[in-house]
Amino acid sequence: MTDTQEGQQQAALSLQRLWPRLEFTFRDEAGVAPADWRAFEMRLRREWERLFGLLSGLYGGHYNFSYHLEELLGAAARSWFARPTWLKQLDARREANPAWFQSQRLVGGMCYVDLFAATLHGLRDRLPYFKKLGLTYLHLMPLFESPAGKSDGGYAVSSYRRLNPKLGTTEELAALAREFQEQGISLVLDFVFNHTSDEHEWARRAQAGDQEYERFYLLFPDRTLPDAYERTLREIFPTVRRGSFTWREDIHRWVWTTFNSFQWDLNYANPAVFRAMAQEMLFIANIGVEVLRLDAVAFIWKRPGTSCENQPEVHQIIQAFHSLARIAAPALLFKSEAIVHPDDVLSYISPQECQISYNPLLMALLWESLATGEVKLLDHSMRRRFRLPQGTAWVNYLRSHDDIGWTFDDNDARWEWIDPSGHRRFLNQFYTGRFPGSFARGVPFQENPDNGDARISGTLASLAGLEQAIQSGDEQQMELAVRRILMLYSIILSIGGIPLIYLGDEVGTLNAYAFASDPHKAGDSRWVHRPKTDWAWRERVQEDSSSPHDRIFTELGRLIGLRKQQPAISDGETEFVETGNEHLFGYVRHGAGQRLFVVASFSPHPQEMDANLLRVHGAGYRFTDLITGQTLTAEQPLRLEPYQCVWLEPYSPPKVSREPGERGT
Ligand code: GLC
Ligand code: GLC
């Protein structure tokens, strides 16, 4: 018998034993809702072989494996029975159309509830705003209970079931999720599953000496193991504390803390941790969340002698979570937050693991090209690394609540005759404004005194030059800054995948330096791009059509509307093409009977592209630039203004109407 046959047989035998026990446990619920029970059974049987294989691979050797397995299935069944009807209907719709998230109609936004709208109520009142902008996907930054002053912006979670009381209640969030879904906006929440806050009940019990909960974390009596691990670990927050461990005087233990010292890494080698977190995941799904952002995925499995990032078990764990979700919350999608080497980023993306993923490489290289004015590294890297498996998509973004790290591949850089470490130093100099002639106003994040590594904080507008231009009152610089911002947006809106806007950036919000006087924030420069939304200011600038902020907002809204009308942007592939000009980035999208040729200039000067290339890549002689509405022919070279981006469609006679009402829905 082969290993596969052996595995299949074990899975089948295991289910033969478990199923009657489950039927017995849930006889009452199944009696009340027989159709639900049948649906559960069908999905469980469909998933079982995979789920069993993953879990027995991870935990099969554990003394209590079958106990954990039975408890896990019980939890999944309970969660399915508790799943609201409207979500079960959504499950059915998503199962019938699994490619829904590939549509060009999707546009994402992300914000902190407290900073954007104070409370969930306040956020509900902003629904018209989200619709006006055209959002169909809204990521609310962590809103669960988290200790004041040591919350890492909510990423230190003390309860996955109770919200931060200042924001509202779980019931309110569930009602909001439903209302937003009815209005065409999918709710996205974080699953912060690498660590909990040191005030989570599990951590408190561990601190009280409860052995069961001590095993939930990675605690060490002395430096022997921490020292051994640290030989191969990367420091993630070196300005917070050196190394990855924190000494706790109260329990006389070193605790594994990859991020802040109050964020305790969970021990996924313990099946009880997997089971506990699976239950939290299903609870969050039942609130009405459609996309779960898997926070800090890379770090969840530790192996001596390695970087303890991207270990094979990480994939098994996520796939096991995914399989459980397929059984008990099938509408749920996973989004990977892996801000690591591009090969590792890719390793999380598949229909069976994370269906969508942040695209940190595109993000970083757009900034890289903006600094150098040249697109060679961007073009080379995208040709090699943009393509994804069927049934998955990128989430393309320019800024998020986090820093920018220069995560390009060193060999990609060398291929283009770029010295990778020197180039990273240059980029850090450029974006902190230290490089002569730089237009950027960024702030260094986590500068490592040993190796000089650093990352960059700052808002889209400040990094793109708007802050400096406004302060110097230089009209020409202001114009260039606005163009840079719109050009970058034109790319993430057309390149394929889900564009994600970090809210605040849609109006060109500038850096806010006041965080430095708050002792809980001063040590974390990411707060420079996390200001409280000033709605009075927004109203003022948006009434003033000469304001760069209003221009950005209005033009972005128009671009979003345009995107939604271009079937070529949905699904399908992106073909990166030679533009023959080092400043011009070009790609072609085709699908659903449409062809779109996008060319973006990263130069502050006018640029040209050869007419022949225009004919070849554009597949035509006459084109409409969808952005300006102008028509042009391939009799002469394509001429681009500074930082201009064009979306060229081979010319056809004007359509009578372009689906009115598309915008903002
Ligand atoms: C993720 C979050 C970041 C947080 C870290 C630790 O990277 O995006 O904000 O600091 O995880 O949870
Ligand atoms: C680093 C880590 C990433 C984390 C981020 C938080 O970039 O690689 O996973 O989210 O730091 O700032």
Side-chain angles (χ1 to χ4, degrees):
M1 204 170 6
T2 65
D3 283 358
T4 335
Q5 285 167 335
E6 174 78 20
Q8 284 168 343
Q9 215 172 70
Q10 285 176 359
L13 284 172
S14 160
L15 192 59
Q16 251 173 49
R17 295 209 177 121
L18 279 167
W19 184 250
R21 298 168 66 99
L22 279 177
E23 274 191 310
F24 182 74
T25 311
F26 290 96
R27 60 192 181 285
D28 293 344
E29 291 88 339
V32 178
D36 274 358
W37 186 239
R38 274 197 305 278
F40 181 79
E41 178 179 4
M42 187 202 63
R43 292 192 176 112
L44 177 63
R45 291 194 183 280
R46 200 170 57 200
E47 283 297 324
W48 180 248
E49 208 177 288
R50 171 164 85 117
L51 181 61
F52 179 83
L54 290 163
L55 292 175
S56 61
L58 285 160
Y59 305 119
H62 193 272
Y63 72 99
N64 241 348
F65 178 56
S66 46
Y67 162 78
H68 288 294
L69 204 55
E70 186 170 347
E71 289 291 303
L72 189 65
L73 293 188
R78 256 189 304 283
S79 173
W80 172 247
F81 279 120
R83 191 158 169 84
T85 311
W86 74 272
L87 283 173
K88 287 182 174 155
Q89 289 163 354
L90 184 69
D91 290 333
R93 289 209 300 283
R94 296 308 192 216
E95 282 180 317
N97 177 21
W100 70 276
F101 61 89
Q102 311 267 14
S103 162
Q104 80 278 10
R105 304 190 59 80
L106 258 81
V107 175
M110 61 186 285
C111 65
Y112 289 93
V113 176
D114 56 342
L115 298 176
F116 196 74
T119 62
L120 285 178
H121 267 296
L123 195 79
R124 190 178 166 276
D125 294 342
R126 295 291 170 201
L127 183 61
Y129 180 83
F130 298 135
K131 294 193 70 171
K132 182 174 175 203
L133 193 58
L135 302 188
T136 65
Y137 157 128
L138 184 65
H139 172 205
L140 300 182
M141 304 296 293
L143 28 68
F144 291 102
E145 231 176 63
S146 181
K150 15 175 237 174
S151 77
D152 189 20
Y155 282 97
V157 178
S158 315
S159 163
Y160 297 93
R161 304 207 174 206
R162 285 185 308 273
L163 297 199
N164 174 346
K166 288 189 190 139
L167 305 179
T169 63
T170 314
E171 292 69 37
E172 283 167 358
L173 180 59
L176 186 98
R178 185 172 182 178
E179 189 181 344
F180 275 39
Q181 160 59 224
E182 281 162 6
Q183 299 289 327
I185 300 180
S186 301
L187 181 63
V188 184
L189 286 191
D190 284 272
F191 185 42
V192 184
F193 71 131
N194 174 67
H195 46 262
T196 72
S197 145
D198 63 352
E199 294 190 15
H200 190 286
E201 192 196 327
W202 304 335
R204 287 184 189 273
R205 292 202 188 183
Q207 285 151 31
D210 182 332
Q211 287 189 358
E212 192 183 340
Y213 289 95
E214 285 179 351
R215 289 164 199 244
F216 267 48
Y217 300 95
L218 296 139
L219 309 177
F220 306 90
D222 56 45
R223 285 293 309 178
T224 320
L225 285 171
D227 282 343
Y229 276 113
E230 272 180 1
R231 279 197 275 278
T232 48
L233 292 182
R234 173 166 77 104
E235 290 178 286
I236 305 299
F237 280 0
T239 63
V240 165
R241 167 214 62 234
R242 300 318 304 269
S244 302
F245 300 83
T246 302
W247 173 252
R248 287 285 296 224
E249 187 57 32
D250 51 347
I251 52 171
H252 278 258
R253 292 278 198 288
W254 289 95
V255 187
W256 197 310
T257 55
T258 298
F259 296 90
N260 288 289
S261 303
F262 49 78
Q263 288 165 303
W264 286 23
D265 286 41
L266 285 162
N267 172 21
Y268 277 91
N270 176 359
V273 168
F274 178 86
R275 188 158 60 77
M277 286 308 287
Q279 293 183 29
E280 303 313 88
M281 172 187 86
L282 293 175
F283 179 85
I284 297 173
N286 279 357
I287 294 175
V289 173
E290 287 190 62
V291 179
L292 213 50
R293 172 190 179 278
L294 302 192
D295 181 62
V297 283
F299 302 92
I300 66 172
W301 192 271
K302 327 292 187 195
R303 169 170 284 113
T306 72
S307 65
C308 298
E309 291 183 41
N310 314 301
Q311 295 299 303
E313 288 82 353
V314 177
H315 299 291
Q316 286 171 264
I317 288 168
I318 301 171
Q319 287 172 22
F321 279 140
H322 177 255
S323 179
L324 271 174
R326 279 290 159 277
I327 296 167
L332 193 66
L333 288 183
F334 284 1
K335 169 164 86 156
S336 143
E337 191 248 349
I339 314 301
V340 288
H341 186 277
D343 291 341
D344 295 318
V345 173
L346 268 180
S347 71
Y348 294 95
I349 309 172
S350 84
Q352 285 77 36
E353 199 168 328
C354 295
Q355 298 73 50
I356 60 179
S357 163
Y358 280 100
N359 191 348
L361 184 64
L362 176 66
M363 183 276 292
L365 292 179
L366 288 173
W367 288 108
E368 187 270 344
S369 298
L370 206 59
T372 59
E374 292 180 3
V375 302
K376 59 186 182 183
L377 186 53
L378 173 65
D379 179 63
H380 176 80
S381 306
M382 289 305 123
R383 280 168 193 265
R384 297 196 47 204
R385 302 175 185 279
F386 190 81
R387 174 174 296 161
L388 288 183
Q390 273 280 314
T392 63
W394 287 119
V395 174
N396 298 313
Y397 64 115
L398 301 171
R399 292 296 297 113
S400 74
H401 68 296
D402 278 333
D403 45 289
I404 301 175
W406 308 111
T407 58
F408 54 80
D409 174 70
D410 286 3
N411 286 326
D412 287 355
R414 290 190 192 105
W415 183 265
E416 294 295 339
W417 299 99
I418 294 169
D419 161 42
S421 45
H423 201 52
R424 289 193 179 91
R425 267 198 308 280
F426 156 72
L427 291 167
N428 281 328
Q429 291 292 312
F430 188 91
Y431 281 106
T432 49
R434 296 170 191 159
F435 191 82
S438 163
F439 49 74
R441 283 277 172 84
V443 181
F445 178 65
Q446 299 296 332
E447 255 178 326
N448 188 325
D450 290 348
N451 54 18
D453 277 355
R455 282 127 54 194
I456 298 291
S457 293
T459 66
L460 169 67
S462 287
L463 294 176
L466 191 60
E467 184 177 328
Q468 206 184 87
I470 288 179
Q471 271 166 14
S472 64
D474 184 329
E475 292 285 334
Q476 200 194 341
Q477 283 304 321
M478 194 123 83
E479 176 64 29
L480 290 178
V482 171
R483 288 184 182 206
R484 285 184 199 109
I485 291 168
L486 294 173
M487 184 270 288
L488 293 176
Y489 273 133
S490 308
I491 293 177
I492 63 163
L493 287 168
S494 62
I495 198 166
I498 306 171
L500 176 63
I501 301 164
Y502 180 55
L503 293 175
D505 286 344
E506 80 283 21
V507 283
T509 302
L510 302 181
N511 284 348
Y513 298 95
F515 78 96
S517 51
D518 177 339
H520 294 309
K521 296 181 177 166
D524 187 337
S525 71
R526 290 174 299 173
W527 288 100
V528 82
H529 55 251
R530 298 172 181 176
K532 199 166 156 228
T533 304
D534 183 344
W535 288 97
W537 170 79
R538 280 186 182 224
E539 273 161 35
R540 261 198 325 278
V541 295
Q542 288 188 247
E543 273 162 20
D544 171 4
S545 58
S546 69
S547 146
H549 303 286
D550 178 62
R551 249 183 83 194
I552 294 167
F553 182 80
T554 308
E555 193 50 23
L556 173 61
R558 203 176 70 80
L559 289 170
I560 290 174
L562 264 180
R563 162 190 163 88
K564 292 189 178 183
Q565 296 167 36
Q566 314 311 323
I569 298 174
S570 73
D571 213 346
E573 294 210 343
T574 310
E575 188 194 331
F576 295 93
V577 299
E578 187 52 63
T579 61
N581 178 326
E582 58 189 357
H583 309 290
L584 302 183
F585 181 46
Y587 50 87
V588 175
R589 295 277 321 173
H590 35 102
Q594 193 196 19
R595 183 184 178 95
L596 216 54
F597 178 28
V598 175
V599 186
S601 169
F602 282 78
S603 167
H605 308 290
Q607 296 295 332
E608 286 190 349
M609 192 183 85
D610 182 82
N612 268 324
L613 290 174
L614 177 56
R615 275 197 291 276
V616 171
H617 302 315
Y621 286 92
R622 287 166 69 85
F623 303 92
T624 308
D625 168 23
L626 299 177
I627 295 185
T628 56
Q630 279 168 0
T631 52
L632 47 104
T633 75
E635 274 144 30
Q636 58 240 16
L638 173 70
R639 193 187 144 87
L640 295 185
E641 295 302 318
Y643 300 117
Q644 189 181 359
C645 178
V646 291
W647 293 0
L648 302 179
E649 191 183 24
Y651 180 76
S652 53
K655 292 180 193 150
V656 183
S657 86
R658 248 194 194 281
E659 288 188 67
E662 282 275 294
R663 213 187 124 189
T665 55

